[in-house]
């Protein structure tokens, strides 16, 4: 069986299990379940702490895992990402009290508090900054107020918690993170079980990003309509019973669907419909 690590909690856990369910895999119903076997798909899921997943995958005990890019890089594990999943996006930034520093160039001799000491230590080394790093678990916003550090480095989504703590983001982003599928570095890329798993997740990503659009169009306007809805290969076009009309079906990006519908209507197209795509293979 293909052995896959899934986060057991945190921001990635719920969306990861939802995506796996959409891809046709069984998922646990109780949070106490640590292992779930899906015999129909020949997959065994292990629900682990998000920070531990890269370590397990790099050891070869598990074939692949779902975790955050930030956790992968912070672990220093011998693993690599093979698919971006498009959720749990965040930015890793430095923050401090206003007037303390403008960026890493001012950090020499200071102390930086973070839960991601691996990422921070590497970034400081790469930029030639001589600063100390102290590891803290959980929220690090209070580290400055309590005198533990002058700077913090943390995942920033909206920045609200930083502003509430009287802090401001400084410098350029250290890195951008999102949920990713990882494997042990150097593992076989052509494993059919892994490739099937990746195709399923890619199918979910496409299904979430596109809708199927159907509409009726006059023949004399067809070329202009097709230019609006070119599809992935080309649209499907069928003649209608009424002479001079055709039915068109094409995949379009979800975020552009409403604008395209407006443009098609202005062009004279009618019976314009969009339907969700639940599964896809390209």
């Amino acid at each position: 069986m293909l052995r896959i690590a899934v986060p057991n909690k945190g921001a990635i856990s719920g969306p990861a299990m939802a995506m796996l369910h959409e891809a046709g895999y069984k998922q646990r119903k109780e949070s106490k379940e640590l292992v779930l076997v899906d015999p129909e798909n020949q997959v065994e899921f292990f629900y682990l702490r998000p920070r531990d997943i890269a370590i397990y995958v790099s050891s070869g005990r598990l074939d692949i895992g779902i975790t955050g890019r930030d956790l992968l890089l912070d672990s220093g594990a011998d693993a690599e990402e093979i698919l971006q999943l498009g959720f749990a996006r965040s930015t890793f930034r430095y923050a401090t009290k206003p007037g303390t520093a403008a960026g890493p160039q001012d950090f020499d001799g200071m102390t930086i508090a973070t839960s991601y000491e691996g990422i921070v230590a590497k970034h400081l080394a790469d930029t030639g900054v001589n600063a100390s790093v102290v590891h803290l678990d959980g929220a690090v916003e209070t580290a400055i107020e309590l005198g533990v550090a002058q700077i913090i480095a943390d995942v920033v989504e909206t920045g609200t918690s930083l502003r509430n703590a009287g802090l401001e983001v400084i410098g350029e982003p250290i890195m951008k993170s999102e949920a990713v599928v990882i494997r042990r570095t150097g593992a076989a890329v052509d494993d059919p079980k892994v490739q099937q798993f990746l195709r399923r997740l890619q199918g979910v990503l496409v299904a979430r990003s596109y809708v199927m659009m159907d509409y009726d169009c006059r023949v004399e306007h067809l070329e202009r309509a097709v230019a609006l809805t070119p599809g992935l290969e080309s649209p499907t076009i069928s003649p209608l019973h009424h002479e001079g009309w055709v039915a068109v079906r094409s995949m379009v990006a979800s975020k552009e669907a409403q604008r395209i519908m407006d443009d098609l209507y202005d062009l004279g197209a009618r019976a314009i419909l969009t339907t969700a795509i639940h599964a896809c293979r390209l």
Side-chain angles (χ1 to χ4, degrees), residues 213-226 228-229 236-250 260-261 263-274:
M213 184 171 290
D214 294 89
Y215 58 91
D216 297 341
C217 177
R218 292 285 305 177
V219 172
E220 57 266 29
H221 301 315
L222 181 59
E223 289 304 316
R224 293 170 61 193
V226 167
L228 294 171
T229 59
T236 300
I237 301 172
S238 306
L240 293 178
H241 179 69
H242 290 292
E243 188 176 350
W245 284 83
V246 292
V248 182
R249 162 167 280 204
S250 182
I260 292 173
M261 292 176 76
D263 291 344
L264 287 172
Y265 189 89
D266 291 341
L267 193 62
R270 293 296 181 263
I272 309 168
L273 308 173
T274 62

Side-chain angles (χ1 to χ4, degrees), residues 9-254:
K9 59 182 179 181
I12 298 178
S13 179
M17 287 191 288
M19 176 171 277
L20 291 168
H21 178 73
E22 288 180 53
Y25 295 103
K26 288 176 56 179
Q27 286 300 287
R28 66 179 185 176
K29 297 180 180 179
E30 299 290 337
S31 60
K32 293 182 180 180
E33 290 184 82
L34 301 180
V35 181
L36 183 143
V37 178
D38 184 351
E40 184 175 342
N41 291 298
Q42 286 294 292
V43 172
E44 193 171 10
F45 292 103
F46 294 81
Y47 299 90
L48 306 170
R49 291 180 67 249
R51 280 190 171 272
D52 295 339
I53 287 176
I55 303 298
Y56 280 105
V57 172
S58 68
S59 72
R61 302 292 182 183
L62 299 178
D63 299 303
I64 50 180
I66 296 175
T67 188
R69 181 182 296 123
D70 52 351
L71 298 175
L72 167 63
L73 297 180
D74 191 61
S75 72
D78 192 18
E80 60 186 0
E81 65 177 79
I82 55 176
L83 181 65
Q84 300 173 12
L85 297 179
F87 61 85
R89 289 192 172 104
S90 62
T91 305
F92 198 64
R93 307 289 299 264
Y94 291 114
T96 187
K97 285 188 174 296
T100 302
Q105 69 275 8
D106 301 324
F107 290 175
D108 279 345
M110 294 186 179
T111 300
I112 303 168
T114 184
S115 300
Y116 299 81
E117 56 187 321
I119 293 176
V120 174
K122 183 178 185 305
H123 186 260
L124 294 176
D126 290 344
T127 52
V129 176
N130 183 22
S132 301
V133 181
V134 58
H135 177 84
L136 294 176
D137 285 321
V140 297
E141 292 91 345
T142 56
I144 296 177
E145 186 68 30
L146 296 177
V148 174
Q150 294 83 38
I151 311 290
I152 66 168
D154 202 7
V155 172
V156 177
E157 295 183 3
T158 64
T160 301
S161 59
L162 293 178
R163 289 191 293 271
N164 290 341
L167 305 179
E168 65 177 6
V169 169
I170 57 173
E172 295 297 318
I174 303 170
M175 66 166 294
K176 293 186 177 181
S177 182
E178 67 178 287
V180 295
V181 179
I182 65 171
R183 65 168 183 183
R184 180 171 55 86
T185 303
V189 297
D190 56 353
D191 185 329
K193 293 181 294 184
V194 173
Q195 290 302 312
Q196 182 187 67
F197 178 78
L198 294 177
R199 280 195 301 271
R200 286 197 182 192
L201 294 191
Q202 288 166 336
V204 172
L205 292 172
V206 172
R208 289 178 173 182
S209 301
Y210 287 84
V211 293
M212 189 65 72
M213 184 171 290
D214 294 89
Y215 58 91
D216 297 341
C217 177
R218 292 285 305 177
V219 172
E220 57 266 29
H221 301 315
L222 181 59
E223 289 304 316
R224 293 170 61 193
V226 167
L228 294 171
T229 59
L232 297 184
E233 303 295 342
S234 64
T236 300
I237 301 172
S238 306
L240 293 178
H241 179 69
H242 290 292
E243 188 176 350
W245 284 83
V246 292
V248 182
R249 162 167 280 204
S250 182
M251 288 174 64
V252 302
S254 301

